Every structure is written in structure tokens, then in C-alpha cells.
Amino acid sequence: MIEKFDPLKGEMLRILHPDGRLEESLRPDLSDGTIQGLYRDMVILRVMDQRALGFQRQGRMGTYPPVSGQEAAQAGSSYALGKDDWVFPSFRETGVLYLRGVPLKDVFLYWMGSEEGQKVPPDVKVFPVAVPVGTHPLHAVGAAWAAKLQGEKICTIAYFGDGATSEGDFHEAMNFAGVFQTPTIFFCQNNQYAISVPRKKQTASKTIAQKAIAYGFPGVQVDGNDPLAVYAATKDARERALSGLGPTFIEAVTYRFGPHTTADDPTKYREDAELEEWKKLDPLLRMQRYLGGQGLWNEGVENKFKAEAEAIVSQAFQEAESAPPPEPEAIFKSTFAELTPTLKEQMDDYLAFLKDKES
Ligand SMILES: Cc1ncc(C[n+]2csc(CCOP(=O)(O)OP(=O)(O)O)c2C)c(N)n1
Ligand SMILES: [Mg+2]
């Protein structure tokens, strides 16, 4: 289905319009009940994000990268994955982590500075958060290649931003995936900015999706604020991957409502008017409009979902806050299974320094 939308012609996949109208001919195989569940999850992500900002401002959590505005991209794609598919996230995929089964407590722990938060339960197929921009698509391609060689019926998905597409690693990953036909989904959340650098200064390409064409596989632009379009494109990409057709590139066109991280002030580089225009395309609003028309959303439903979300977030944060603070040596011990001689030397040196300071 995605091949019907040519990024070179500016064609973008959209199924749920901002006014809540559904493109029936493109409707994915989701019941209205499931769509309501998807909306409920998006509310949890919105509430989680708002609370996380508050916790950071109260000094109870470290730097945090918000996801508000990108809930459709994260929830829509998560819903389309299989249980055994591997996710390779960047730092802004809090919503994906949660929906793929990483306990919210661990997500918070990570942003509190504890590597314990990166230790996912054994049945959760999520790699650690990659803060170095654009490095992990290579890992996703490598893992997909391994799965292909071993005959495993899974795909891998790498999440990254528009800015990451300027990194060399990204292009190496795309090239390798195209040549070796790896079952990989490249999922780009184009939120229009890489910190303060706008999309138009990132690439001279008309779309980011069209970059896939040069590497010999399909790329599709989807309305990233439309969870149904994101779901349908990801599901299609997954089916292609599992049937041996190789990689797919998805550009989810979206916008981050908040700052890049809690350390950023977006008013320095973007106009309020731009933000207001994008707020009209808020992914939660169009879901409310659609579900409202089906009798599955009203103020009562909204309040119920919000209260449930508050309870989930409060409990997770309480658990994270009551976990013991990380040992100083955790910073050295969290990368390799066994310490390298250089890391061991650095760790011993640091522990001796701390001991000296105490005495
Ligand atoms: C290799 C590398 N260079 C620079 C940075 C600093 N940095 C962190 S996030 C970011 C921008 C990323 O933008 P984008 O890929 O669009 O993702 P977004 O933050 O918008 O989700 C930069 C430059 C980094 N973390 N890693
Ligand atoms: Mg970006």
C-alpha cells in the first residue's frame, strides 16, 4: 500500500483527517474498540510527559526530552509491531518504550540518571536508549541481518529524528540494508527541528522519505499526527520485511510541542504562530473527533482516561523515586559485560578519589 504514495510527487499517506473524518477505503484492520484503546494510550503518554516536565522542574528528575505532539507517531507505530520484533530507540521514544513493555518506573529511573532503568525485562525486545544521534540504525540493520540469516520471522525498527538523517552512520545503515535486503524499518520522526536547526537547514531534499529511493527501497511520507496512517504504514513495512522484501523507510511528519529537552528554550528559535498552527493538528484532538462521532468519546471518557493515566504515572514515579540511588561504579559497569582494563583503571581511580574526599 505504501508504494502508492510517491514522496517525489509530494504524496503523503493520511487516513484520519484533522477534523476526525476517516478515509474508509484506507481504514486499517483495527476495531473502534482498539482505536479507543490506542487513544487511551496516547492520553497516558501526554499525561506522562506533562508530569515528567513537572518532576524535572521540581529537581526530582534529570534532563528529559518531551514527546508531546508525537504521540501518534509513537503509539501508531508501536501498535503495528509484533511481540518479537526488536526496537532500537533514540532518546525521544519514551512512548514507544512504554508501549513495548518497558516499565514506566524504569523509563523514569533512566532519566533520573540510573542505568538500572536500561535493564529491560527479558521478554521485552527493546535496545538501550541511544543518545548519540543516528548511531543505532546500524545496530538495527545488523540485528535484522542476523535474524534473516537465522531464519527468524521478525523485523527490527530504528527510531530516529530528522536531524539524525544528516549523520554518516544513518547513510551507512540505509546502504547496507538496501544491499543485504535486511528486514528493517527505518522510522524517522520528522518533528521539524534538531534542537534549534530547522528541517530546511537539515537537507535540501524535498522530503526525507525520498532518500530511501537512492538506496533501492521504498520510502513513504505519512501524516505523523495521524495514528492510523502511522499504524498502516508500519504494518505494511513489517509485512514487507517478514515476506523477504527488505527494508522500508517511513517519514512521520510531526511536530514537538515542547522544548527539545528540559534544558532548551524553543522561543529562541521558533515563532509562537508556528506552534499554534501545529497545535491545530494535535493528534489527540483528531482522535477525540473521530471517537466522538462513534459514541466512544466524551468529556466523561476523557476524565476517566486522564484519571487512569495520572494513577499509572504517579505509581511509576513513586517506585522510581524510592529505588536506591545508583552506586558510583555503575557509570563504568553499564557498557560491557566485563570491565575493560582502561575502564577498570578509571573506576579504581574515581573510587579512590571519592574515598579521599570523604576522609
Ligand atoms: C552524535 C551526536 N551529535 C550531537 C548530539 C547533540 N544532540 C542531541 S539531540 C540533537 C538533535 C537531534 O535532532 P533529531 O535527530 O531531529 O531528533 P529530535 O531531537 O528532534 O527528536 C543533537 C544535535 C548528540 N547527542 N550526538
Ligand atoms: Mg527532530
Side-chain angles (χ1 to χ4, degrees):
M1 182 252 272
I2 47 172
E3 273 126 333
K4 287 193 207 136
F5 297 85
D6 184 350
L8 288 172
K9 292 192 187 135
E11 294 167 350
M12 186 193 283
L13 172 62
R14 173 182 274 172
I15 299 176
L16 186 58
H17 293 269
D19 61 6
R21 211 162 24 90
L22 188 73
E23 220 44 78
E24 279 297 341
S25 64
L26 296 173
R27 185 194 171 108
D29 59 346
L30 296 174
S31 67
D32 275 342
T34 307
I35 297 175
Q36 193 197 39
L38 175 60
Y39 173 70
R40 181 179 175 272
D41 279 333
M42 289 166 66
V43 172
I44 294 174
L45 304 189
R46 180 69 56 93
V47 168
M48 181 270 303
D49 212 48
Q50 285 162 349
R51 295 287 303 276
L53 276 172
F55 295 139
Q56 193 278 338
R57 295 297 188 233
Q58 292 167 357
R60 297 160 79 188
M61 207 169 75
T63 307
Y64 172 78
V67 299
S68 284
Q70 299 182 216
E71 294 91 346
Q74 301 205 5
S77 56
S78 298
Y79 265 61
L81 299 175
K83 193 178 173 296
D84 291 326
D85 296 340
W86 273 98
V87 170
F88 292 74
S90 85
F91 44 84
R92 203 181 298 286
E93 273 73 60
T94 301
V96 178
L97 302 189
Y98 171 66
L99 294 175
R100 298 304 297 161
V102 178
L104 201 49
K105 172 202 81 172
D106 291 334
V107 174
F108 285 139
L109 262 185
Y110 176 67
W111 294 113
M112 287 172 164
S114 172
E115 293 294 335
E116 289 301 307
Q118 296 267 40
K119 291 181 187 161
V120 300
D123 59 332
V124 172
K125 310 285 197 236
V126 175
F127 247 56
V129 165
V131 172
V133 170
T135 50
H136 55 293
L138 279 168
H139 307 160
V141 171
W145 194 32
K148 181 176 172 171
L149 293 177
Q150 288 171 350
E152 280 181 56
K153 283 274 164 213
I154 61 148
C155 71
T156 66
I157 180 165
Y159 286 91
F160 50 89
D162 42 303
T165 64
S166 297
E167 292 284 352
D169 285 355
F170 163 75
H171 294 277
E172 290 171 26
M174 294 277 281
N175 191 54
F176 198 99
V179 172
F180 291 91
Q181 290 285 288
T182 64
T184 313
I185 305 172
F186 292 89
F187 193 94
C188 176
Q189 290 185 79
N190 170 11
N191 63 5
Q192 313 303 327
Y193 288 89
I195 313 185
S196 56
V197 178
R199 150 73 182 81
K200 65 175 184 300
K201 286 199 181 153
Q202 200 63 249
T203 173
S205 290
K206 203 164 132 200
T207 68
I208 299 178
Q210 75 196 56
K211 289 178 192 286
I213 298 167
Y215 293 107
F217 56 91
V220 64
Q221 232 186 8
V222 303
D223 180 341
N225 289 359
D226 169 358
L228 303 187
V230 173
Y231 170 85
T234 312
K235 190 155 184 287
D236 224 39
R238 180 173 191 271
E239 272 160 20
R240 279 177 41 79
L242 264 58
S243 54
L245 292 172
T248 306
F249 186 98
I250 298 170
E251 175 190 355
V253 181
T254 182
Y255 197 80
R256 75 168 145 75
F257 290 159
H260 169 73
T261 67
T262 43
D264 171 54
D265 175 5
T267 62
K268 298 259 188 272
Y269 56 83
R270 37 175 229 201
E271 301 290 332
D272 281 352
E274 181 185 285
L275 174 62
E276 289 318 309
E277 279 309 301
W278 278 96
K279 284 219 161 157
K280 291 181 195 158
L281 302 175
D282 186 332
L284 273 71
L285 285 181
R286 77 179 70 181
M287 285 290 265
Q288 290 170 5
R289 287 172 186 142
Y290 171 71
L291 290 168
Q294 309 305 307
L296 290 169
W297 183 87
N298 54 35
E299 226 171 283
V301 172
E302 184 70 8
N303 291 338
K304 180 172 169 281
F305 286 176
K306 277 194 176 145
E308 288 167 357
E310 290 284 350
I312 291 169
V313 173
S314 293
Q315 197 194 327
F317 195 77
Q318 215 171 15
E319 285 170 20
E321 243 184 355
S322 52
E327 298 292 328
E329 48 269 58
I331 196 169
F332 302 98
K333 287 185 168 168
S334 303
T335 304
F336 300 106
E338 278 170 41
L339 275 180
T340 63
T342 324
L343 273 176
K344 168 126 182 39
E345 200 184 318
Q346 288 177 16
M347 184 177 83
D348 291 345
D349 198 45
Y350 183 57
L351 292 177
F353 164 78
L354 290 179
K355 216 168 163 197
D356 259 13
K357 232 172 71 171
E358 271 170 27
S359 57

